[in-house]
Amino acid sequence: MTDTAAESEAGDAVAEDAREGHAAVTGAGSGNPAPVPATGAPVIRTRGLTKRYRGGQLAVDGLDLTVAAGSVFGFLGPNGSGKTTTIRMLMGLIDPTSGTAEVLGRPMPAAARTVLPEVGALIEGPALYGFLNGRDNLLRYDRADPTADPRTRRARVDEALARVGLAAASAKKAKAYSLGMKQRLGLAAALLRPRRLLVLDEPTNGLDPQGMREIRSLVRELAAEGTTVFLSSHLLDEIEQVCTHAAVMARGRLIVQGPVADLAASARGRLAVTTPDPGDAARILKEHGLTGLSADGDRLTADAPPAAVDLADLNAALVGGGVRVRFFGVERGSLEDAFVALTGEGFDVAG
Amino acid sequence: MSQAEKSQAEKSQAERALSSDPRGSRNPLWTLGLLRSEITTLLRRHRTYALLGVLAAVPVLIGIAVRIETGGGGSGGAGGPDGGAGPAFLAQVTNNGVFLVFAALAATLPVFLPMAVGVVAGDAIAGEASSGTLRYLLVAPAGRTRLLLVKYASVLAFCLIATLVVAASALAVGALLFPVGEVTTISGTRIGIGEGLVRAGLTALVVAVSLTGFAALGLFVSTLTGSGIGAMAATVGLLITVQILDSIPQLSGVHPYLFAHYWMSFADVLREPVHWDDLVKNFQLQGLYVAVFGSAAWARFTAKDVTA
Ligand SMILES: Nc1ncnc2c1ncn2[C@@H]1O[C@H](COP(=O)(O)OP(=O)(O)O)[C@@H](O)[C@H]1O
Ligand SMILES: [Mg+2]
């Protein structure tokens, strides 16, 4: 499990605060935000949601998804696994072939007019009017919302620009923006009003590491304020770093969903021993019934033993057998291990 | 944030989630914000100015050509004011600059004016789709019917602006290059300059209304494709096809149903009294096109998968 030291450096005070608070709950210190208890009605709920495109491509197949209020929900899957298609259905941009979707407790796309003002969305990257400047782009999107109060419009636009760090560039034409700036402006459009749900489709796509860190810390900040965030990504470590809950998609089907910590734990961890006597260590571990042994220099790993086996006994056996143990412990599984275990295929294989 | 504050925030979050109050009341006037945004956005594109610039140049070219042709001399043609075939109203321009308004509208109505309208109408939805901004307007949520109405209203505004640009340019050039005075109607009677200008304004309005059917057709085409350029090309292609069909005598049976068929009836505004028959037929035909293609555009757009 990688730590997120680099993240922390970039993260600002608010994000830090939020995670500090969570650390007490998990006690894991893994850098994962704690799972927020699932209270209230689900913010997103789909039943048998299916989309077959005109061309015959079955993009989403019988999706049953539940996103609890207050969670940072990672929607994970390789390219082409149906993430964007699902988001388009949730936002009422396309009609499902079959099945139902509810957002904020109301059916989509039927209730789009009442639901969407409370939802901010970034779908498949930003889209802007290149001949308008940053501020005018936001003004136009805000005017498109018939429930947005025109009296507070300018103030809200300025606030959103400041929030994503674009205040200084707001008078520049959008076509002169860099990809990162466009992405931020898209995010600002999603933040024009206080939202109950933010839907972010691969928000760090195409950004440099610095831009990624900034977007992620903004997401944490928003989540800490109580906004439910639905974040799609094809980056496993992104989901592990940012999300409390996750669903894994492959070829249009939902493989698994649940708290990120549970998902990662469901992948069996590995017992790792570092020793100058790997041969003896391997023999002793084998005698104790451990499987999946593999040695790499002075590092020996094996499938984690079942919970009934006390690791202390195992360690004592090694030491008692004359093995000089430099390191001994179980390395927890990552989301990637979980994905490989669940699908039997590497994560980079497109559906 | 402390644990207590955190759980407090969660509670209020849950409460908000449970309350079914749709937040923010919907003021019907706020919907005009989108129309204003649409028109100002249209007027901030270089393309719009290029189109209007071409339209404004036509009367200038006509005015200069007529001026050179007649050698700047006083006595112009006493050509019969029949308003029929040939370059309409051109003969009268030398005697009265006001006639340049009618001449310029007659010259731009068959192709230039509708072509400009076709570009704007064809691009209305398809252009937003190809730039990806359509999905963000829809999740704002602009509302599909509302957005379509606003788009059509802005295309109509462009019809009026484009026609007025031609008329205003023609009036300015006409007043600059030619004498201005009493207007001889097609019926042969003479009306005062004030009345003549009113007729000119009325003519521009009639021309703008003549374009409404074609504008609806263009909007419909715009909902069919995700390519702005494709929709513009298809719309302008339809215009040219219809103009060709309208000029083939063997097809006279379908002529009354072609949107361009009664366009030239605007000349009847210049009769004394105004000759309404063909004007009314024109308005009815335009109304039919607006109803048919407006509904088609609505049916298509409200059911469309927006994936771009
Ligand atoms: N507009 C479309 N028409 C037809 N097929 C599509 C369309 N959009 C996406 N697809 C197909 O649907 C599948 C899922 O795509 P998508 O939802 O974009 O995946 P993801 O966002 O997870 O990368 C892919 O096989 C893709 O080729
Ligand atoms: Mg995608």
Side-chain angles (χ1 to χ4, degrees), chain A:
Chain A
M1 181 62 211
T2 53
D3 205 297
T4 51
E7 283 287 314
S8 311
E9 280 160 25
D12 56 44
V14 181
E16 281 303 306
D17 252 357
R19 282 159 66 211
E20 222 78 353
H22 291 313
V25 182
T26 53
S30 63
N32 275 331
V36 174
T39 50
V43 167
I44 295 174
R45 209 174 104 107
T46 74
R47 287 294 167 260
L49 196 64
T50 302
K51 180 66 185 183
R52 188 182 288 281
Y53 280 111
R54 276 252 176 86
Q57 171 80 36
L58 186 61
V60 174
D61 186 6
L63 185 65
D64 293 325
L65 200 64
T66 307
V67 176
S71 58
V72 181
F73 195 97
F75 195 43
L76 180 65
N79 290 325
S81 57
K83 304 181 297 293
T84 299
T85 303
T86 304
I87 288 172
R88 286 181 186 139
M89 287 191 276
L90 292 174
M91 298 293 98
L93 292 173
I94 62 178
D95 281 330
T97 308
S98 63
T100 59
E102 275 179 19
V103 177
L104 300 176
R106 277 160 278 175
M108 287 298 287
R113 276 162 47 117
T114 53
V115 169
L116 291 180
E118 303 196 77
V119 179
L122 190 63
I123 307 163
E124 273 212 307
L128 305 167
Y129 299 88
F131 56 94
L132 296 181
N133 67 31
R135 170 176 285 108
D136 288 336
N137 268 282
L138 294 186
L139 286 171
R140 172 150 171 85
Y141 284 133
D142 197 65
R143 287 195 176 101
D145 178 355
T147 65
D149 189 343
R151 288 164 299 195
T152 59
R153 181 162 289 146
R154 294 203 166 263
R156 284 183 292 109
V157 164
D158 286 340
E159 204 177 306
L161 283 166
R163 178 128 215 201
V164 298
L166 274 183
S170 64
K172 217 169 159 183
K173 291 248 190 299
K175 64 170 171 259
Y177 277 19
S178 70
L179 181 60
M181 291 162 85
K182 285 180 181 161
Q183 196 84 352
R184 287 162 193 233
L185 196 62
L187 212 51
L191 300 176
L192 282 169
R193 304 173 64 178
R195 312 283 193 182
R196 278 168 64 191
L197 170 65
L198 274 180
V199 174
L200 307 175
D201 187 16
E202 312 223 14
T204 59
N205 229 6
L207 297 189
D208 57 15
Q210 173 64 20
M212 286 185 168
R213 278 195 291 275
E214 286 173 10
I215 299 269
R216 286 173 196 165
S217 83
L218 185 60
V219 166
R220 290 197 194 97
E221 199 178 309
L222 291 161
E225 291 165 14
T227 307
T228 307
V229 180
F230 184 82
L231 175 105
S232 90
S233 178
H234 67 277
L235 303 174
L236 285 151
D237 55 341
E238 178 162 276
I239 300 282
E240 288 197 287
Q241 286 170 28
V242 183
C243 299
T244 59
H245 293 71
V248 181
M249 294 282 286
R251 300 165 192 258
R253 292 178 149 275
L254 182 68
I255 306 278
V256 67
Q257 64 181 323
V260 166
D262 292 3
L263 292 182
S266 76
R268 280 173 75 194
R270 299 279 292 172
L271 176 73
V273 182
T274 308
T275 168
D277 316 311
D280 289 341
R283 180 178 47 77
I284 294 170
L285 288 178
K286 210 175 229 162
E287 282 166 16
H288 282 76
L290 291 196
T291 55
L293 284 151
S294 79
D296 177 17
D298 63 354
R299 190 179 136 89
L300 188 72
T301 62
D303 292 340
V309 177
D310 191 340
L311 290 174
D313 293 345
L314 219 49
N315 195 10
L318 285 173
V319 175
V323 174
R324 292 167 290 169
V325 177
R326 286 189 185 137
F327 174 90
F328 180 91
V330 172
E331 293 174 342
R332 154 168 125 64
S334 72
L335 217 45
E336 179 154 18
D337 298 330
F339 184 87
V340 172
L342 285 162
T343 61
E345 60 191 63
F347 191 75
D348 296 329
V349 179

Side-chain angles (χ1 to χ4, degrees), chain A residues 21 36 51 88 92-95 113 121 123-125 127 129 131 136 140-141 143-146 148 150 194 196 226, chain B residues 3 10 13 17 23 26 30 33 37-38 44-45 128 131-133 135-137 140-142 144 146 305-307:
Chain A
V36 174
K51 180 66 185 183
R88 286 181 186 139
L93 292 173
I94 62 178
D95 281 330
R113 276 162 47 117
I123 307 163
E124 273 212 307
Y129 299 88
F131 56 94
D136 288 336
R140 172 150 171 85
Y141 284 133
R143 287 195 176 101
D145 178 355
R196 278 168 64 191
Chain B
Q3 234 15 72
E10 274 155 22
Q13 167 78 12
R23 213 192 40 195
R26 190 183 303 259
W30 292 0
S37 158
E38 190 59 49
R44 283 164 98 170
R45 311 192 81 143
E128 302 269 7
S131 71
T133 46
R135 65 175 181 273
Y136 287 109
L137 291 176
R144 296 195 185 204
R146 175 169 169 258
D305 272 1
V306 175
T307 55

Side-chain angles (χ1 to χ4, degrees), chain B:
Chain B
M1 195 187 281
S2 78
Q3 234 15 72
E5 281 168 340
K6 181 82 198 158
S7 60
Q8 192 61 43
E10 274 155 22
K11 233 173 90 192
S12 65
Q13 167 78 12
E15 274 160 14
R16 268 196 293 154
L18 289 175
S19 80
S20 59
D21 268 342
R23 213 192 40 195
S25 57
R26 190 183 303 259
N27 181 333
L29 280 180
W30 292 0
T31 223
L32 290 177
L34 183 57
L35 179 58
R36 230 184 45 215
S37 158
E38 190 59 49
I39 292 174
T40 51
T41 304
L42 180 66
L43 292 181
R44 283 164 98 170
R45 311 192 81 143
H46 294 309
R47 193 192 61 201
T48 308
Y49 289 100
L51 293 172
L52 294 179
V54 168
L55 289 173
V58 172
V60 177
L61 292 181
I62 297 177
I64 291 173
V66 170
R67 177 79 193 210
I68 292 171
E69 182 74 6
T70 53
S75 72
D82 56 356
F89 307 109
L90 270 189
Q92 289 98 314
V93 170
T94 35
N95 289 331
N96 190 345
V98 174
F99 271 97
L100 191 56
V101 174
F102 304 104
L105 287 173
T108 51
L109 183 50
V111 178
F112 282 102
L113 261 176
M115 204 144 95
V117 170
V119 167
V120 172
D123 194 50
I125 299 289
E128 302 269 7
S130 57
S131 71
T133 46
L134 180 59
R135 65 175 181 273
Y136 287 109
L137 291 176
L138 291 183
V139 300
R144 296 195 185 204
T145 305
R146 175 169 169 258
L147 183 60
L148 194 67
L149 283 174
V150 162
K151 284 287 181 187
Y152 188 55
S154 78
V155 176
L156 291 188
F158 181 78
C159 290
L160 188 63
I161 292 169
T163 312
L164 290 180
V165 161
V166 173
S169 164
L171 193 60
V173 172
L176 216 63
L177 297 183
F178 306 101
V180 168
E182 281 191 330
V183 174
T184 310
T185 66
I186 296 176
S187 317
T189 58
R190 294 173 77 79
I191 52 177
I193 175 70
E195 170 77 6
L197 287 177
V198 169
R199 296 281 176 106
L202 198 59
T203 305
L205 267 181
V206 168
V207 167
V209 172
S210 298
L211 295 167
T212 56
F214 178 61
L217 178 62
L219 191 68
F220 171 60
V221 171
S222 191
T223 62
L224 295 180
T225 161
S227 151
I229 303 282
M232 289 186 240
T235 308
V236 172
L238 275 171
L239 167 72
I240 292 166
T241 309
V242 161
Q243 291 289 41
I244 291 172
L245 292 182
D246 200 34
S247 67
I248 301 176
Q250 285 81 356
L251 297 177
S252 60
V254 299
H255 285 175
Y257 303 100
L258 299 177
F259 58 78
H261 188 63
Y262 297 107
W263 273 358
M264 286 304 158
S265 67
F266 78 83
D268 291 347
V269 171
L270 217 55
R271 291 183 195 277
E272 188 61 36
V274 174
H275 200 325
W276 288 103
D277 286 7
D278 279 359
L279 285 170
V280 168
K281 273 188 199 153
N282 185 21
F283 295 155
Q284 284 170 340
L285 188 63
Q286 300 308 322
L288 184 69
Y289 268 78
V290 172
V292 169
F293 288 102
S295 314
W298 179 82
R300 165 73 185 156
F301 187 54
T302 51
K304 185 186 163 95
D305 272 1
V306 175
T307 55

